[in-house]
Amino acid sequence: MAQADTLASPASLDAYWMPFTPNRKFKQSPRLIVGSEGVHYDMADGSRVLDGIAGLWCVNAGHRNPRISAALKAQIDVLDYASSFQIGHPAAFTLAQRLSEMAPAGMNHVFFTNSGSESVDTALKIALACHRARGNAGRYRLIGRERAYHGVGFGGISVGGIGRQRSTFGPLLNGVDHLPHTHDLARNAFSRGEPGHGIDKADALESLLALHDPSTVAAVIVEPVAGSTGVLPPPRGYLRRLREICDKHGILLIFDEVITGFGRLGTNFAADLFGVTPDLITTAKGLTNGAVPMGAVLMRDEVHDAFMHGSVSAVELSHGYTYSGHPLACAAALATLDAYTQDGLIAQSAALAPYFEECLHALRGLPGVIDIRNLGLLGGVELEAWASGPGMHAQAVAQHCLDNGLLVRPVGETIALSPPFTLERRHVDQIVDTLRAAIKQTVQPASAAA
């Protein structure tokens, strides 16, 4: 491996402003990844780390998956780039068809983006434009949910509900409101899968509609399982109730499946697991296994068809990106879908989920563990907050794990887990054993405790 791959100069460390990172703290003692294979990362210091979060919820098929690597190498020798503006290339159309075949019935159309954030903003724009195309220009309001993460576009952070990600930027989009979050520690702590209490949280939508007038609301957007806020599975019946209310009032329902799409819950999409079909689904992350940036918005026929009127020479939707349907991204995505289906990785995810659940809930009773949540190969261990500040407990546990060969993700006071589908039971054991040791050995600083 080249020296440039293993070392970063002080000048280069200073030059890069890293996203969602306390940069000054990181650069005091940087931890650099220089290689990857399967379910592991190789670090610049020579250590090997088990990837407990699939990169960033995205490397579902394992690092440097042979199928995907081969597809990228073959594609770069044939076509490096082609625009999707009034010209195209075959792989984009093939991929769109493959995605529509995987999607819930009736979702037969795809719009390509480059990230989850772009997928969300695209879906919101499609929802608004769809109502206008139907002659309902008065539908302009968007409803998100507290504690939701929908990316970093202005639309996404407007409908998102994580305060620290909104307050930095001042006023956002007008006409946005939020449902209450579904986390109910008192009634649902240590639930396995969908918690039993909380369908009433969906009924809060009726209250919001009464406040704003339902004829002004264009769309409701939710994550079927809220991820970046700490892994919050929906209460039983919650998503179905949202669907019923949206149908009653002519409102489009958007599922943000950037994390849950492509097998994370053991099904193609969360919509399949819960038996609820939204009007639009946003995707990214697992679409290309993280190998190349790409996202996609899947939509029901009725949404797509609302635009297909007027002159055939007119642009139906004035929206898109330079890299929509990028050839390399399409090659990576097609190979990734083959890995999920032909290599059985989605089935493998479903098969491993019960063992993952059992092992994860074995952490119950450890000091400071106040909740454990899971669904499919998603898990969250919530810790008691320290007096030293928000998130400090989870950060300390995550650092202890990294020092001992395991990468996890601290989100607030929760340790989030979303491992690759290619891991084995012994890897699950390693994750839980390392996390157990970290929780036991990480104690609150004496000054803060005092």
Side-chain angles (χ1 to χ4, degrees), residues 123-163:
L124 296 176
K125 290 176 73 174
I126 288 174
L128 293 170
C130 176
H131 285 297
R132 294 181 73 87
R134 291 171 174 172
N136 297 320
R139 289 189 180 270
Y140 67 95
R141 296 188 186 276
L142 302 168
I143 295 178
R145 188 169 58 186
E146 297 170 352
R147 294 189 63 167
Y149 179 74
H150 296 297
V152 296
F154 269 100
I157 58 177
S158 296
V159 296
I162 298 178

Side-chain angles (χ1 to χ4, degrees), residues 358-421:
E358 285 297 324
C359 292
L360 197 61
H361 280 270
L363 298 174
R364 182 174 183 174
L366 290 179
V369 174
I370 61 174
D371 194 14
I372 296 171
R373 301 179 289 273
N374 71 283
L375 196 64
L377 285 186
L378 276 176
V381 179
E382 187 171 351
L383 304 171
E384 187 175 23
W386 281 354
S388 53
M392 297 303 293
H393 192 175
Q395 291 176 34
V397 169
Q399 184 61 54
H400 191 284
C401 287
L402 185 57
D403 291 340
N404 289 274
L406 172 65
L407 179 65
V408 298
R409 179 165 171 75
V411 286
E413 298 297 351
T414 298
I415 298 295
L417 299 166
S418 59
F421 304 166

Side-chain angles (χ1 to χ4, degrees), residues 60-72:
N60 300 343
H63 291 282
R64 290 172 52 216
N65 181 285
R67 272 190 184 274
I68 302 166
S69 295
L72 285 171

Side-chain angles (χ1 to χ4, degrees), residues 25-40:
K25 180 180 178 181
F26 173 86
K27 291 167 185 179
Q28 290 172 358
S29 181
R31 301 293 293 268
L32 301 178
I33 296 169
V34 297
S36 63
E37 183 177 18
V39 297
H40 292 95

